[in-house]
Amino acid sequence: MLEKITENLQKSCHLQPDQLILVGVSGGPDSIFLLDVLHQLGYNLVIAHLDHQLRPESSQEADGVKRVAAQLNIPVLIESLDVGKYAKTQKLSIEQAARQLRYEFLFRQAEMQKAQAVAIGHTADDQVETVLLHLLRGTGLSGLAGMKYFNLPNPWSQTIPLVRPIMDIWRHQILEYLADKPYNPYEDMSNLDTKYFRNRIRHELIPFLEKFNPRIRQNLFQMSGILEQDEQVLHATTQRAWNQCLISAGKDYLQFNTVVFSEQPLGIQRRLVRNAFMHLLPDLNDIEFQNIEQVIQFLKEPPKSNFSRLAAGLQLYSEKNSFHIFNQLAFLPGNQWPQLQSNASINLEVPGELNLGEGWLLISQVVENTPKNLSDATSNPDPYLAWMDFDQITLPLTLRCRQPGDYFQPLGLSGKTQKISDFFINQKLPRRARPNWPILTSPGEIIWIPGFQIAHHTRVSPDTKRIIHFKLERKPAISK
Amino acid sequence: MLEKITENLQKSCHLQPDQLILVGVSGGPDSIFLLDVLHQLGYNLVIAHLDHQLRPESSQEADGVKRVAAQLNIPVLIESLDVGKYAKTQKLSIEQAARQLRYEFLFRQAEMQKAQAVAIGHTADDQVETVLLHLLRGTGLSGLAGMKYFNLPNPWSQTIPLVRPIMDIWRHQILEYLADKPYNPYEDMSNLDTKYFRNRIRHELIPFLEKFNPRIRQNLFQMSGILEQDEQVLHATTQRAWNQCLISAGKDYLQFNTVVFSEQPLGIQRRLVRNAFMHLLPDLNDIEFQNIEQVIQFLKEPPKSNFSRLAAGLQLYSEKNSFHIFNQLAFLPGNQWPQLQSNASINLEVPGELNLGEGWLLISQVVENTPKNLSDATSNPDPYLAWMDFDQITLPLTLRCRQPGDYFQPLGLSGKTQKISDFFINQKLPRRARPNWPILTSPGEIIWIPGFQIAHHTRVSPDTKRIIHFKLERKPAISK
């Protein structure tokens, strides 16, 4: 067993024998075992323990960790945080709050101590439970591959890896090993996150599955290891495809070559879209399969509109040979918003065209025939296109910036009126974009806020005889 | 639902509207539903039904299928086979026998009828059950991806695909749909294979998992679809790697470039080895993970011997820059066995070297120092190398073919004596290789059969003072 762990430490966890390792010790058998083994193998260690203050006996557990640290003569860092209070103020579940505070504590201390890694005592049993947990909740390949021996970058650090040196050791081996040892481990708190669900997996589901196959745990553990290697191959393939497809990238947007993207196999396309979501929304925990499929479907069978609203505030914008996925707060790649001069008031002819600078064009035209698909016109799916009932509109049309006291009756708000200032806030238009955002007016009223919504009363209805169509587009500047 | 199936038929099952489809109809709801839908969509159909003769009512089920065929005016082929008897004579389980006879029947008929495909009524529920079945028995990515809409080549045909057009339809949808229809489906026999285990999955495991997540079936179904795409990417990557690594191939052997192989990621290496096993043993049902790891490990940390016995009668032979995986019955790539002239009797000097032709060399030498690892010498891991106690051997040594009445006391058979003719049979040496196989003798006894075993009394022991070492090797001819 020690031989196996020695190999894990060197080959899977990439640990240097002479550099400090910070060991997260809850005081339970798994982490005490990890500590004992690392100590025996002569590693340079520091212990870190977080008192979660969730149970009356938690300070005794901290004392237990101190005692083991003294027995082994290893320095120990103990911090006490009110997880319950943090959960309340941050509106998190106890489990989420505990996990967040614990890992933040471990990596904060690891950085201060200049540790090469944070080591934690996840076992083969934990791995099997994690795989089943993912399986039950719905997952793909990376979820079925479970946890990794070596995790870098991780959500807490770009430079310090999270390592799991005993991930192929079973809990019963640990308990047998510790039976002769002078420690007195507590019930392990390290699996507090998802405790309830995980406990049900451990005590109900796994014994049930063992009735179907007594070797189910070994099988699932082996499966996770095989799938981890498959996942690594696909990860590398995806990375190469990403580099081939990506035209330009920023914090708020990504531009891909549509042709090169479409040539990728479906499995890689899905991974590219997932990566794009992760790039634009690094705090996102998980992305629903449907949200990924939406992008794939859009590119496979492009709809009439070249805009689409995605999940989590992202948008898709498609051009001839490229498409952008971008954060709606950024509005368009490179933060190149449509903007007017502060006191501008520009007449828009019908039909007509206005050049707003930076490649932006506002176009108006009268549509003689009702569009075939009337719902396209009425539901207004692309906020940079507008269809209106021409007979509901008074000419002349003027494009101008917002003015104090402006109000607006947006489509779909059941005729309710909103102040423009409130409307912009509700739509999360960045503050600095608001003063010079173009607004289309007819005498005495706002009829369209390009990028957002038309006025309710201008909407196309079955009685509409003539349709007026507006388009705000940005031509060559965006396609780079 | 019909729209979905129409898309499946065209895009996933690649069916042509004007060519014949053979539909496997058990008489149960799933296959009756499939039949009804294909009929409605105007496909050109023929029904095939196998009466398994396993239950008294099975001929009534055949009548039921005939009735439906008449209702829809579709030609029907019915065959009756005694599955129970076949299982007994072929020493198969009832489940295996039924599956084998049924698919053989379907594809035999499909070929005779010149059908473009065999269509069967597997549903989304069947897919979920299959995924869980694989998961319980131990599996990798392709097992988790489950069944395919389109399967070609399949174990029954290289040209006619097995298609599953209703694999995304749930059983409850089928029952609802059939409620208004004038059919009278029987309990479905098509899942007879693995019936017991599958029934336990359906009636015990899935309801249990639904207590953890009511959407578990939908999740598992979606997961299998995602993983199928991942599997396709890895399949293509493996195919490219195979073409890069492969130096030469025959029915009985494969030769790979060791350097190019070792540069592949571990996940691809594993898939290459799996493919090699499948290539050499096409009838093999499954390969244990451990058998694959053995090859990976051998190449990663080559042992002293360049031979290794693998599972299922395969062997591994490693040279400087390439390695062979070959069937032991073939003995060496291209069936180039070491062979002597029929009446040859050749003196072998010590030290000395004999050229046996076709690149084969027999070398003898005295080893002054005991090899560091004595167990290498005593356990005789490479059958083309031999270490013996020099003091147990009488000179001169002679190489000759077998003679009538030859016997041999092989190492490790607890001193028992065997006739050479029996020994060759036991070792599965092909009949045509036996008469001219080289045998090393000292006066009056056989001391080594190269490729197999040394004589028991010649073995190296702790008391051995001088060791004689033999090597039969094939030099440039094998490395191509």
Side-chain angles (χ1 to χ4, degrees):
Chain A
M1 191 160 65
L2 277 185
E3 226 172 86
K4 215 162 147 186
I5 300 174
T6 306
E7 200 183 318
N8 291 346
L9 289 164
Q10 290 165 10
K11 294 194 184 163
S12 306
C13 300
H14 311 293
L15 293 176
Q16 303 300 323
D18 49 346
Q19 289 173 38
L20 189 67
I21 301 169
L22 183 134
V23 190
V25 177
S26 65
D30 302 346
S31 58
I32 295 281
F33 170 78
L34 171 63
L35 188 63
D36 176 279
V37 169
L38 289 173
H39 179 67
Q40 268 192 64
L41 293 174
Y43 281 90
N44 185 7
L45 307 174
V46 58
I47 295 170
H49 172 85
L50 181 67
D51 175 357
H52 294 70
Q53 300 183 21
L54 286 172
R55 301 183 300 173
E57 63 274 27
S58 68
S59 71
Q60 291 167 33
E61 287 167 17
D63 291 342
V65 173
K66 274 185 211 161
R67 212 162 37 241
V68 174
Q71 277 172 277
L72 298 174
N73 198 22
I74 299 173
V76 59
L77 305 159
I78 292 191
E79 197 164 291
S80 178
L81 290 172
D82 189 338
V83 169
K85 191 173 156 195
Y86 181 78
K88 221 175 258 175
T89 57
Q90 297 294 310
K91 289 180 184 158
L92 294 171
S93 71
I94 292 285
E95 293 78 4
Q96 287 172 320
R99 182 182 151 85
Q100 194 169 313
L101 286 179
R102 185 169 63 251
Y103 280 105
E104 273 173 20
F105 160 68
L106 292 175
F107 279 89
R108 178 161 34 85
Q109 292 294 349
E111 196 151 321
M112 279 166 59
Q113 305 287 328
K114 302 200 193 324
Q116 64 172 316
V118 170
I120 51 178
H122 283 138
T123 65
D125 294 272
D126 291 321
Q127 177 72 311
V128 169
E129 288 156 20
T130 299
V131 168
L132 285 172
L133 197 123
H134 291 158
L135 192 78
L136 287 169
R137 289 188 174 162
T139 192
L141 187 55
S142 93
L144 292 169
M147 302 181 289
K148 295 173 180 176
Y149 287 96
F150 179 90
N151 198 1
L152 185 77
N154 55 60
W156 306 280
S157 176
Q158 294 291 317
T159 52
I160 302 175
L162 179 69
V163 300
R164 300 179 170 95
I166 58 168
M167 210 171 66
D168 53 356
I169 308 296
W170 296 94
R171 197 166 288 140
H172 74 90
Q173 296 177 290
I174 291 175
L175 296 178
E176 280 159 26
Y177 177 95
L178 288 181
D180 311 331
K181 299 281 171 177
Y183 313 121
N184 196 8
Y186 279 83
E187 170 57 24
D188 205 321
M189 287 286 285
S190 68
N191 293 324
L192 184 71
D193 46 312
T194 66
K195 193 168 177 62
Y196 177 63
F197 202 63
R198 193 177 275 273
N199 272 342
R200 281 187 65 200
I201 289 174
R202 187 180 304 175
H203 299 301
E204 295 174 33
L205 180 56
I206 293 176
F208 190 83
L209 294 176
E210 279 174 334
K211 290 195 280 180
F212 286 82
N213 182 347
R215 289 188 52 78
I216 185 73
R217 292 189 302 148
Q218 289 81 346
N219 281 357
L220 288 174
F221 183 79
Q222 184 177 293
M223 178 187 90
S224 72
I226 297 173
L227 296 181
E228 168 61 21
Q229 298 305 322
D230 286 346
E231 172 65 21
Q232 282 187 20
V233 175
L234 286 168
H235 180 82
T237 307
T238 306
Q239 208 48 53
R240 278 194 300 274
W242 177 274
N243 294 336
Q244 286 164 15
C245 293
L246 194 69
I247 296 174
S248 64
K251 193 178 145 296
D252 284 327
Y253 78 97
L254 294 163
Q255 183 188 12
F256 296 97
N257 182 315
T258 309
V259 179
V260 180
F261 181 92
S262 303
E263 284 167 1
Q264 305 300 320
L266 180 54
I268 297 298
Q269 289 187 10
R270 285 180 176 148
R271 284 164 183 267
L272 289 171
V273 175
R274 178 175 292 273
N275 283 7
F277 273 79
M278 300 300 277
H279 174 93
L280 296 170
L281 303 165
D283 292 337
L284 208 63
N285 254 328
D286 198 24
I287 303 141
E288 294 271 328
F289 177 67
Q290 282 70 14
N291 300 330
I292 292 174
E293 281 314 277
Q294 189 191 346
V295 177
I296 305 283
Q297 204 52 41
F298 183 97
L299 295 168
K300 196 170 147 205
E301 293 172 12
K304 278 181 201 150
S305 161
N306 56 355
F307 257 94
S308 178
R309 291 168 206 262
L310 306 176
L314 294 187
Q315 295 195 11
L316 180 64
Y317 171 66
S318 162
E319 290 180 313
K320 198 172 173 62
N321 291 315
S322 77
F323 68 94
H324 298 76
I325 298 179
F326 58 99
N327 199 314
Q328 73 173 13
L329 301 189
F331 264 83
L332 272 172
N335 262 353
Q336 295 293 331
W337 300 310
Q339 296 276 279
L340 298 179
Q341 301 289 328
S342 289
N343 292 312
S345 174
I346 316 166
N347 209 36
L348 175 64
E349 300 291 332
V350 180
E353 194 173 298
L354 279 182
N355 185 334
L356 309 184
E358 300 285 341
W360 287 101
L361 273 187
L362 180 62
I363 299 161
S364 72
Q365 61 181 120
V366 179
V367 182
E368 286 305 328
N369 299 312
T370 308
K372 271 178 205 155
N373 192 344
L374 189 68
S375 77
D376 265 14
T378 52
S379 72
N380 199 16
D382 178 345
Y384 289 87
L385 302 180
W387 281 269
M388 298 181 194
D389 186 330
F390 201 3
D391 297 317
Q392 297 296 321
I393 290 165
T394 317
L395 297 181
L397 303 179
T398 306
L399 199 67
R400 61 163 175 83
C401 302
R402 69 171 182 188
Q403 292 171 359
D406 263 352
Y407 62 90
F408 179 49
Q409 213 176 30
L411 177 68
L413 213 68
S414 10
K416 274 215 291 204
T417 296
Q418 267 197 335
K419 279 195 199 163
I420 286 294
S421 51
D422 292 342
F423 180 80
F424 278 162
I425 291 169
N426 290 344
Q427 296 291 328
K428 298 196 174 126
L429 181 63
R431 183 185 296 272
R432 65 191 191 287
R434 294 175 204 161
N436 295 78
W437 196 266
I439 293 174
L440 186 65
T441 63
S442 71
E445 61 175 358
I446 291 172
I447 61 169
W448 186 33
I449 304 183
F452 298 96
Q453 202 47 283
I454 61 167
H456 191 74
H457 78 95
T458 68
R459 74 191 182 282
V460 172
S461 75
D463 302 328
T464 297
K465 303 215 165 49
R466 293 183 306 160
I467 291 180
I468 181 163
H469 177 54
F470 301 98
K471 175 154 64 166
L472 179 61
E473 63 176 8
R474 195 173 181 221
K475 269 290 159 64
I478 201 182
S479 60
K480 194 188 165 176
Chain B
M1 193 159 62
L2 277 185
E3 228 172 85
K4 216 163 145 185
I5 299 174
T6 305
E7 200 182 319
N8 291 347
L9 288 164
Q10 291 165 9
K11 295 195 184 164
S12 306
C13 300
H14 311 294
L15 293 177
Q16 303 301 323
D18 49 346
Q19 288 172 41
L20 188 68
I21 302 169
L22 183 136
V23 190
V25 176
S26 66
D30 302 347
S31 57
I32 295 281
F33 171 76
L34 171 63
L35 188 64
D36 177 278
V37 169
L38 288 172
H39 179 68
Q40 267 192 65
L41 294 174
Y43 280 90
N44 185 5
L45 306 175
V46 58
I47 295 172
H49 172 85
L50 182 66
D51 174 357
H52 294 71
Q53 299 182 20
L54 287 172
R55 300 182 303 173
E57 63 274 26
S58 67
S59 70
Q60 290 168 35
E61 286 167 17
D63 291 341
V65 173
K66 276 184 212 160
R67 209 162 39 239
V68 173
Q71 277 173 279
L72 299 174
N73 198 21
I74 299 173
V76 60
L77 305 160
I78 292 192
E79 196 164 294
S80 178
L81 290 173
D82 190 340
V83 169
K85 190 174 158 196
Y86 181 76
K88 224 175 254 174
T89 57
Q90 298 294 310
K91 288 179 184 160
L92 294 171
S93 72
I94 292 284
E95 293 77 5
Q96 286 171 321
R99 183 181 151 85
Q100 195 170 310
L101 286 179
R102 185 169 62 249
Y103 280 105
E104 274 172 21
F105 160 69
L106 293 175
F107 279 89
R108 178 160 36 83
Q109 293 294 348
E111 199 152 319
M112 280 165 57
Q113 304 289 327
K114 302 200 191 328
Q116 64 172 317
V118 170
I120 50 178
H122 282 138
T123 64
D125 294 270
D126 291 320
Q127 177 72 309
V128 169
E129 288 157 19
T130 299
V131 169
L132 286 172
L133 196 124
H134 291 158
L135 193 78
L136 287 169
R137 290 190 173 160
T139 193
L141 186 56
S142 92
L144 292 168
M147 301 180 289
K148 294 173 180 177
Y149 286 95
F150 180 90
N151 198 1
L152 186 76
N154 55 61
W156 306 280
S157 177
Q158 295 291 316
T159 52
I160 303 174
L162 179 69
V163 300
R164 300 180 170 95
I166 58 168
M167 210 173 62
D168 53 356
I169 308 296
W170 295 95
R171 197 165 288 140
H172 75 89
Q173 297 177 289
I174 291 175
L175 296 179
E176 279 160 27
Y177 177 93
L178 289 180
D180 311 333
K181 299 280 171 179
Y183 312 120
N184 197 8
Y186 279 82
E187 170 58 24
D188 205 322
M189 287 284 288
S190 68
N191 292 322
L192 183 72
D193 46 313
T194 66
K195 193 169 177 64
Y196 178 63
F197 202 64
R198 194 177 273 273
N199 272 342
R200 281 187 65 201
I201 289 175
R202 188 181 301 176
H203 299 302
E204 296 173 32
L205 181 55
I206 292 177
F208 190 84
L209 293 176
E210 280 174 333
K211 290 196 279 180
F212 286 81
N213 183 347
R215 288 189 51 80
I216 186 72
R217 292 189 302 148
Q218 290 81 346
N219 282 356
L220 289 175
F221 183 79
Q222 183 177 295
M223 180 187 88
S224 72
I226 298 174
L227 296 181
E228 168 61 20
Q229 297 305 321
D230 286 347
E231 172 65 20
Q232 282 188 20
V233 176
L234 286 168
H235 179 82
T237 306
T238 306
Q239 210 46 54
R240 278 195 299 274
W242 176 275
N243 294 336
Q244 286 165 14
C245 291
L246 194 69
I247 295 173
S248 65
K251 193 180 145 296
D252 284 327
Y253 78 97
L254 293 164
Q255 183 187 13
F256 296 98
N257 182 315
T258 309
V259 179
V260 180
F261 182 93
S262 304
E263 283 167 1
Q264 304 300 320
L266 179 54
I268 297 299
Q269 289 187 11
R270 285 182 176 147
R271 284 164 183 268
L272 290 172
V273 175
R274 176 174 292 274
N275 284 7
F277 273 78
M278 301 300 278
H279 175 93
L280 296 171
L281 303 166
D283 292 337
L284 208 64
N285 253 328
D286 199 23
I287 303 140
E288 294 272 326
F289 178 67
Q290 282 70 17
N291 300 330
I292 292 174
E293 281 313 277
Q294 188 191 345
V295 178
I296 306 284
Q297 203 52 41
F298 183 97
L299 295 168
K300 197 170 148 204
E301 292 172 13
K304 276 180 202 153
S305 160
N306 55 356
F307 256 96
S308 178
R309 291 171 206 261
L310 305 176
L314 295 186
Q315 294 195 11
L316 180 64
Y317 170 66
S318 162
E319 291 179 313
K320 202 172 169 63
N321 292 316
S322 77
F323 66 95
H324 298 74
I325 298 179
F326 57 100
N327 199 316
Q328 73 173 14
L329 301 187
F331 262 82
L332 273 172
N335 263 351
Q336 296 293 329
W337 299 311
Q339 297 276 280
L340 297 180
Q341 300 290 328
S342 288
N343 292 313
S345 173
I346 316 167
N347 208 37
L348 175 64
E349 300 291 331
V350 180
E353 196 173 299
L354 278 183
N355 187 334
L356 309 185
E358 300 285 340
W360 287 102
L361 274 186
L362 179 63
I363 299 162
S364 73
Q365 63 181 119
V366 178
V367 182
E368 286 303 329
N369 299 310
T370 308
K372 272 176 202 155
N373 191 347
L374 189 68
S375 76
D376 265 14
T378 52
S379 73
N380 198 16
D382 178 344
Y384 288 87
L385 301 182
W387 281 269
M388 298 179 192
D389 187 330
F390 200 2
D391 296 318
Q392 298 295 322
I393 289 167
T394 317
L395 297 182
L397 303 180
T398 306
L399 199 66
R400 61 163 173 82
C401 303
R402 69 170 182 189
Q403 293 170 359
D406 263 352
Y407 63 89
F408 178 49
Q409 213 176 29
L411 177 68
L413 213 68
S414 7
K416 275 215 291 207
T417 297
Q418 268 196 334
K419 280 197 199 157
I420 286 294
S421 51
D422 292 342
F423 180 81
F424 278 162
I425 291 168
N426 290 344
Q427 296 291 327
K428 298 191 173 128
L429 181 63
R431 182 184 297 271
R432 65 191 192 285
R434 294 176 205 160
N436 296 78
W437 195 265
I439 293 176
L440 187 64
T441 63
S442 70
E445 60 172 1
I446 291 172
I447 61 168
W448 186 33
I449 303 182
F452 297 96
Q453 202 48 283
I454 60 169
H456 190 72
H457 78 94
T458 67
R459 74 192 182 282
V460 172
S461 75
D463 301 330
T464 298
K465 302 214 167 49
R466 293 182 306 161
I467 291 180
I468 182 163
H469 177 54
F470 300 99
K471 176 155 62 169
L472 179 62
E473 62 176 10
R474 193 170 182 223
K475 268 293 158 63
I478 200 180
S479 60
K480 194 195 163 170

